[in-house]
Amino acid sequence: MKIYGGNEMRILVLVASVLFVFMPVALAGSPLMGDELNSNTVFDLSIMGPPLATKEQCLQYLFSKNPFPALTVSAEELVDDFYTEATDEGIRPDVAFAQALNETGNFKYGGDVIPLQNNYCGLGTVGDGGRGAWFISAQIGVRAQIQHLLGYASTEPPKKEIVDPRYNLLKCSKNFGGAKTWTELNGKWAVPGTTYGQKILKIHAKIMREKTD
């Protein structure tokens, strides 16, 4: 029987941790996506789960893409909101933040939604120039996004008062609780959105590569 030293044991623990995070998704039949975007392979992740990236990595990535994000609160406060609201509902906050970056163009906007709406995921927009949903604060906007993700990932009700204006519509649809991973949002959250989840996961992978002190 081989006895492993300290460094070898740490490597084994790290490998086991990675397998623990990603293997359940692969075993569930969700492929490791990437070919569609002609890039390095990205791992599909469950929508629900703990964060893999830190708040600091999220902020560092954001500022590398947009030093002056158009927000009604500081970027630090917004990231705090994502980690608080998502963690309370069991949603991965770092990937939800990556979704917001994808939807808003790193908070530069330029589409139907404007910054004052505190709408970070295009809730209520259908691409016809309509503004979609408005939220009274950044935190409530984040909460609505998290509740909408929860409606796709689970049939359990939100723990907080429902602020997502489309939650009950989703609850009455065939898609309710029907997307366990981010790529399973393809064609559901965005239509046709054939690589919607992969785009989010690519952003998340870049966030994960950010080096912080």
Side-chain angles (χ1 to χ4, degrees):
M1 178 178 178
K2 183 176 181 179
I3 305 299
Y4 291 97
N7 289 335
E8 291 172 310
M9 184 58 69
R10 280 192 287 271
I11 292 171
L12 287 173
V13 170
L14 177 60
V15 171
S17 299
V18 171
L19 289 174
F20 178 79
V21 171
F22 294 116
M23 190 60 75
V25 175
L27 291 177
S30 297
L32 300 181
M33 298 296 186
D35 293 342
E36 299 90 337
L37 300 176
N38 299 315
S39 66
N40 295 329
T41 298
V42 294
F43 289 102
D44 199 1
L45 288 173
S46 59
I47 293 172
M48 302 191 74
L52 299 177
T54 65
K55 294 180 184 180
E56 291 74 20
Q57 285 176 304
C58 291
L59 286 167
Q60 191 162 298
Y61 176 81
L62 167 59
F63 288 134
S64 74
K65 297 297 181 181
N66 181 9
F68 304 104
L71 299 167
T72 59
V73 296
S74 69
E76 291 81 1
E77 185 175 341
L78 186 70
V79 170
D80 283 342
D81 287 340
F82 269 94
Y83 273 72
T84 298
E85 296 294 332
T87 300
D88 286 349
E89 296 291 356
I91 301 294
R92 295 187 191 273
D94 47 344
V95 194
F97 183 71
Q99 181 187 30
L101 294 175
N102 178 63
E103 289 278 357
T104 64
N106 300 310
F107 304 115
K108 295 176 183 176
Y109 297 90
D112 294 338
V113 177
I114 60 175
L116 288 176
Q117 290 178 245
N118 296 310
N119 184 343
Y120 307 116
C121 62
L123 273 175
T125 60
V126 293
D128 62 353
R131 293 294 183 197
W134 292 68
F135 300 102
I136 193 171
S137 68
Q139 183 177 19
I140 296 302
V142 172
R143 186 176 300 172
Q145 177 182 343
I146 298 304
Q147 289 178 347
H148 208 64
L149 284 168
L150 181 67
Y152 277 108
S154 172
T155 56
E156 290 295 316
K159 293 180 175 63
K160 300 176 182 177
E161 180 181 357
I162 294 174
V163 296
D164 169 18
R166 300 188 64 80
Y167 182 85
N168 288 325
L169 290 174
L170 176 58
K171 185 177 180 179
C172 295
S173 77
K174 64 180 180 180
N175 291 326
F176 186 55
K180 304 304 181 185
T181 70
W182 292 90
T183 61
E184 289 177 359
L185 291 176
N186 294 354
K188 297 183 177 75
W189 192 293
V191 179
T194 53
T195 58
Y196 182 74
Q198 289 92 324
K199 290 177 181 177
I200 294 168
L201 291 166
K202 278 188 65 180
I203 294 170
H204 181 256
K206 292 176 183 177
I207 291 173
M208 290 280 290
R209 288 198 289 269
E210 290 290 332
K211 292 181 172 32
T212 58
D213 295 332

